[in-house]
């Protein structure tokens, strides 16, 4: 079923004290909303944040995980480790992971399989770079990112997947895709899914937009028919701004 979701990706921000402050600020802002609310703190703060928001309408999610179950992978965290601290959802394929940590469609396909094998929900990120858009290749880039990492899956597993379209040129730059650019790409993503999995999977897919979403532009972006929510970076670090975005639905 298609849902409205607003997820705050804190990236590598907030130590424990800052996390506690932000959680208490977030709690003051919570009111009934049409959107599911998620926050993704760093690994060190996952358990604390999970415990501290246990009774609130906030799901705590991880920013990444490894595909292996365990073993000699220094610095990495597995799906079962995440689940052991209450985490049910993981962000995979963020452009910063692809750019700085060499994540590829191939390694992401393995991470997707591992998360699904643990019955986790995935927020799967992808998006073109500025050069791709300038060359008019944005659709083919996005299509291959989706196909290479996800098209080996059975249709049924898509109920555990949320897609997040994040044009790299709009992340943390202050430059947002126009609502029309977001809508056009989201419609294309749905068409891509439909070509392999049919219209039920395509229509039911929740597709988030990410890239410089702020209180000032959220309503217009979320107003587009194929945009089901947002993956928020910078604006998720201020409780008031984050909830202004949540309440833009
Ligand atoms: O994960 C979130 C996205 O990278 C968007 O970040 P941003 O809102 O700071 O542009």
């Amino acid at each position: 079923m298609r849902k409205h979701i607003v997820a705050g990706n804190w990236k590598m921000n907030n130590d424990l004290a800052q996390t506690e402050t932000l959680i208490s600020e977030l709690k003051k802002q919570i009111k009934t909303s049409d959107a599911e609310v998620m926050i993704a703190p760093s690994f060190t703060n996952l358990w604390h944040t999970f415990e501290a928001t246990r009774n609130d309408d906030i799901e705590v999610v991880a920013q990444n995980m490894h595909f292996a179950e365990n073993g000699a992978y220094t610095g990495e965290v597995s799906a079962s480790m995440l689940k052991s601290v209450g985490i049910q959802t993981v962000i995979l394929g963020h452009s910063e992971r692809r750019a700085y940590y060499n994540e590829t469609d191939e390694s992401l396909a393995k991470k997707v399989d591992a998360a699904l094998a643990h019955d986790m929900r995935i927020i799967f990120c992808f998006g073109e770079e500025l050069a791709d858009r300038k060359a008019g290749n944005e659709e083919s880039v996005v299509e291959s990112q989706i196909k290479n990492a996800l098209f080996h899956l059975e249709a049924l597993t898509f109920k555990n997947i949320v897609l997040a379209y994040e044009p790299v040129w709009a992340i943390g730059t202050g430059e947002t895709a126009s609502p029309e650019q977001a809508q056009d790409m989201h419609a294309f993503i749905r068409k891509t899914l439909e070509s392999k999995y049919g219209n039920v999977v395509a229509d039911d897919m929740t597709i988030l937009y990410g890239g410089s979403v702020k209180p000032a532009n959220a309503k217009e972006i979320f107003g587009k028919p194929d945009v089901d929510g947002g993956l928020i970076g910078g604006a998720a670090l201020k409780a008031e701004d984050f909830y202004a975005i949540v309440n833009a639905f």
Side-chain angles (χ1 to χ4, degrees):
M1 245 270 283
R2 208 153 143 188
K3 297 177 179 125
H4 288 160
I5 295 176
V6 177
N9 177 8
W10 293 1
K11 307 191 179 183
M12 197 175 74
N13 292 295
N14 295 332
D15 62 18
L16 181 58
Q18 291 163 327
T19 296
E20 282 174 340
T21 306
L22 184 49
I23 292 169
S24 75
E25 294 298 317
L26 287 169
K27 282 175 184 257
K28 291 183 204 151
Q29 300 285 335
I30 297 174
K31 50 181 179 227
T32 313
S33 156
D34 195 25
E36 271 184 49
V37 178
M38 301 180 183
I39 51 177
S42 59
F43 286 135
T44 55
N45 290 311
L46 276 178
W47 168 242
H48 181 80
T49 309
F50 175 77
E51 282 289 302
T53 58
R54 212 180 245 285
N55 299 316
D56 300 300
D57 274 340
I58 296 179
E59 184 183 349
V60 180
V61 313
Q63 297 178 17
N64 178 39
M65 58 167 243
H66 198 272
F67 49 76
E69 184 57 34
N70 51 40
Y73 299 101
T74 302
E76 292 291 335
V77 167
S78 70
S80 50
M81 290 172 183
L82 294 177
K83 287 202 81 175
S84 73
V85 294
I87 305 304
Q88 301 290 343
T89 301
V90 61
I91 297 171
L92 293 178
H94 193 282
S95 62
E96 288 148 16
R97 300 282 328 161
R98 293 177 190 256
Y100 309 141
Y101 305 101
N102 303 318
E103 295 207 355
T104 60
D105 292 344
E106 202 184 16
S107 63
L108 286 167
K110 291 193 204 168
K111 290 187 178 202
V112 164
D113 290 345
L116 292 173
H118 284 84
D119 203 25
M120 292 185 76
R121 183 153 68 151
I122 297 163
I123 300 177
F124 184 76
C125 306
F126 53 86
E128 82 283 1
E129 297 189 20
L130 186 58
D132 303 319
R133 186 158 279 264
K134 281 194 171 154
N137 292 335
E138 65 273 16
E139 290 191 347
S140 59
V141 168
V142 161
E143 185 178 15
S144 68
Q145 287 172 324
I146 293 174
K147 287 188 171 171
N148 293 342
L150 302 178
F151 270 25
H152 62 289
L153 299 173
E154 306 266 339
L156 257 182
T157 56
F158 278 84
K159 68 178 184 347
N160 278 0
I161 296 178
V162 169
L163 298 180
Y165 168 59
E166 299 204 308
V168 178
W169 47 272
I171 296 177
T173 58
E175 186 165 346
T176 324
S178 70
E180 292 69 33
Q181 285 172 318
Q183 166 57 28
D184 287 351
M185 185 57 88
H186 283 220
F188 173 76
I189 293 162
R190 244 180 256 290
K191 213 174 74 193
T192 303
L193 287 176
E194 187 178 357
S195 69
K196 177 154 168 94
Y197 294 104
N199 63 337
V200 175
V201 169
D203 289 346
D204 281 357
M205 179 55 63
T206 299
I207 310 176
L208 312 182
Y209 168 79
S212 299
V213 178
K214 319 180 250 288
N217 58 23
K219 213 175 186 64
E220 213 189 335
I221 297 170
F222 295 171
K224 292 295 175 191
D226 285 300
V227 179
D228 306 309
L231 182 56
I232 318 300
L237 298 172
K238 260 188 82 187
E240 225 180 315
D241 287 354
F242 183 58
Y243 269 95
I245 295 169
V246 171
N247 294 322
F249 275 109

